[in-house]
Amino acid sequence: MGGSWAPDVSPTSDFSLENLPFGIVTTPDDTSLHAAVAIGSSILDLKVLAAHPGTGLASLFPSLAGHEDVFAQPTLNAFAQLGRAVHREVRSGLRDLLAADTSRPEVLRDSPELREKAILSQRSVRMHLPMAIGDYTDFYAGYHHAFAVGTMFRGAQNALQPSYTHLPVGYHGRASSIVVSGTPIRRPNGQILLDPTAEPKQPITGPSRKLDFELELGCFIARPNKAGEAVGVDEADDQIFGYVLLNDWSARDIQAWEYVPLGPFNSKNFGTTISPWVVLADALEPFRTKPIENLAELQGYLREAKHASVFDIRLEVDLTTPEGDTTTIARTSAKNLLWSFPQMIAHHTLGGCPLRTGDLLGSGTISGPGGLSECGSLLEMTQNGKKEVLLYGMDARTFLKDGDAITLRGVCGEDGARVGFGDCGGRVFSASTTKR
């Protein structure tokens, strides 16, 4: 299939015809939340397409018969729950409608009235959270990050806990503070131990002084599993709807004091940013690759028949100062994971935990093996504040200042057929006044 007839589909666009990610929008003519797909610098409004008397949603996508209102919903949950076979058929049909050599030009390309209503500039629409997220689990599958941070605090010999290579380590996060790209992030208050060597231990309460980002990939669950029933690792791909970029904002000083014995709490629950467009699982299939080699003998339920189970997504992190200067501070790849999302799902459900449509799984911080320029957090880059990251304009950072903005980007493929996520960004604002 060649290019698209849609306007302004640049060869360098994240949203080529090979992608067509799904999102939730409001438009100048429709302030109710509803579904759209991205193509180039435009969107195709799926609610408008479905409602047009000349189209007939079921005739375009037979698997949507009986679900004609699925794109008028305020989230993608109803569409996600229909399953991967339906997602595949709909995405294939949309590719045909938007292709320069479409087999059905009369539906959209050669229908000026519908085209004018359904094809809108991305700048004219507002993006919203794509899913209703009931639960959020953040894993720790980025091997290089885990090893670097473990070395920093425990030394190289004890960098990884004994369980790390035997199971996907994770913790339950806070779904209520997940926000869409562009939402401001307020610096959190919390308890901080300024002098760990002092006795007795006496923390203060105040704004975090070590606010950080974490570069992650997020995965949305499509279909639920029943309580008490585990999902097999080789069936888990069918449970996946699609992927987003994820920034797990982290207050390192609050985390250091609170995380023993039960792990992160207030240091992680104040904000998690995701990109607004969900890249469907099928769009990433051509970019599968092998994860980092795991030398541990895995339990049977974690052994995958498919060896290429992670994706070679090129990832970047930009830091923009309050003055507007932007520096790319990290470049790495999503292939730097020890555990795949199917393995995470298999382990998550091993004891019978019921995952639900819209549940979000985070990969954990993704860093590469190539030193500071491949680190997915400032904690690693600055060795917990001991070194500075140099920025454009003779500026520097150890951790984030008020007014700083972090933007994550990810893309696969070459120009003309890029499969990307768009921006996942948020700006830091000052902490609120603490209450006694």
Side-chain angles (χ1 to χ4, degrees):
M1 188 176 289
S4 173
W5 55 260
D8 301 322
V9 184
S10 163
T12 59
S13 172
D14 279 2
F15 307 126
S16 72
L17 196 62
E18 304 307 311
N19 191 356
L20 301 183
F22 286 69
I24 293 294
V25 302
T26 49
T27 71
D29 293 331
D30 189 349
T31 58
S32 63
L33 279 68
H34 59 280
V37 294
I39 177 68
S41 60
S42 304
I43 67 145
L44 170 59
D45 190 319
L46 296 177
K47 182 180 178 182
V48 170
L49 177 68
H52 193 268
T55 55
L57 199 62
S59 67
L60 293 175
F61 315 111
S63 61
L64 292 183
H67 305 282
E68 283 81 3
D69 67 341
V70 71
F71 295 134
Q73 302 300 313
T75 72
L76 294 172
N77 290 50
F79 177 56
Q81 193 166 6
L82 295 177
R84 192 158 172 180
V86 175
H87 309 155
R88 184 177 298 124
E89 182 197 90
V90 172
R91 176 171 169 267
S92 177
L94 290 171
R95 287 177 70 194
D96 179 50
L97 286 182
L98 291 165
D101 58 351
T102 173
S103 67
R104 303 190 67 176
E106 75 286 354
V107 173
L108 189 57
R109 190 193 72 182
D110 297 346
S111 176
E113 179 188 359
L114 177 56
R115 195 173 66 237
E116 183 178 352
K117 294 179 180 179
I119 303 290
L120 304 174
S121 167
Q122 287 192 34
R123 292 183 179 182
S124 71
V125 306
R126 182 179 177 187
M127 303 302 303
H128 302 267
L129 276 177
M131 307 286 284
I133 305 167
D135 285 296
Y136 162 48
T137 302
D138 199 18
F139 285 89
Y140 199 41
Y143 175 85
H144 299 295
H145 171 77
F147 187 83
V149 172
T151 299
M152 194 184 308
F153 293 110
R154 296 185 295 274
Q157 294 300 316
N158 300 302
L160 300 177
Q161 299 293 346
S163 64
Y164 184 79
T165 57
H166 289 272
L167 58 86
V169 176
Y171 73 95
H172 291 288
R174 185 70 186 173
S176 64
S177 55
I178 297 172
V179 295
V180 73
S181 178
T183 304
I185 296 295
R186 188 175 289 277
R187 183 181 298 272
N189 290 296
Q191 285 198 20
I192 301 166
L193 189 65
L194 295 180
D195 185 1
T197 65
E199 294 294 344
K201 306 296 184 189
Q202 185 56 51
I204 65 165
T205 298
S208 171
R209 305 178 185 192
K210 291 185 175 182
L211 185 58
D212 200 358
F213 70 92
E214 289 189 345
L215 169 63
E216 301 194 25
L217 192 63
C219 169
F220 278 116
I221 296 299
R223 283 185 162 170
N225 62 294
K226 294 180 180 180
E229 295 185 5
V231 176
V233 69
D234 292 326
E235 288 75 51
D237 261 329
D238 289 335
Q239 304 294 117
I240 296 173
F241 177 49
Y243 298 87
V244 291
L245 299 178
L246 186 153
N247 182 353
D248 181 29
W249 302 90
S250 301
R252 301 302 186 184
D253 42 5
I254 299 172
Q255 183 179 0
W257 174 236
E258 74 177 6
Y259 84 101
V260 177
L262 293 181
F265 185 46
N266 285 338
S267 59
K268 297 275 192 175
N269 68 9
F270 60 93
T272 301
T273 301
I274 63 171
S275 51
W277 294 106
V278 181
V279 176
L280 293 193
D282 276 7
L284 290 177
E285 281 296 320
F287 310 104
R288 282 188 176 274
T289 189
K290 293 181 179 180
I292 294 171
E293 184 180 10
N294 191 338
L295 299 179
E297 183 177 352
L298 299 184
Q299 298 294 300
Y301 75 96
L302 290 171
R303 296 175 193 159
E304 296 179 280
K306 187 183 294 183
H307 298 296
S309 58
V310 298
F311 304 106
D312 189 4
I313 304 168
R314 302 187 297 275
L315 300 168
E316 293 184 344
V317 182
D318 283 354
L319 192 158
T320 302
T321 66
E323 294 74 30
D325 295 324
T326 298
T327 307
T328 300
I329 58 173
R331 291 184 174 90
T332 186
S333 171
K335 68 183 180 182
N336 289 305
L337 294 174
L338 184 67
W339 301 101
S340 70
F341 279 103
Q343 287 174 313
M344 296 178 212
I345 292 170
H347 184 65
H348 203 319
T349 62
L350 176 64
C353 174
L355 298 179
R356 295 177 292 186
T357 300
D359 281 359
L360 178 64
L361 309 181
S363 65
T365 305
I366 303 173
S367 298
L372 299 182
S373 64
E374 293 188 22
C375 291
S377 69
L378 287 171
L379 178 67
E380 294 170 79
M381 292 182 199
T382 69
Q383 293 290 293
N384 196 22
K386 295 177 182 178
K387 301 179 180 180
E388 291 187 324
V389 174
L390 298 180
L391 306 176
Y392 179 83
M394 302 298 291
D395 210 340
R397 291 290 184 275
T398 51
F399 291 97
L400 297 173
K401 294 183 177 181
D402 290 350
D404 285 346
I406 290 292
T407 303
L408 314 181
R409 293 189 304 276
V411 67
C412 311
E414 304 303 324
D415 288 358
R418 290 160 63 103
V419 174
F421 294 80
D423 290 349
C424 175
R427 186 176 296 277
V428 176
F429 288 75
S430 58
S432 61
T433 303
T434 58
K435 297 180 180 180
R436 298 188 60 165

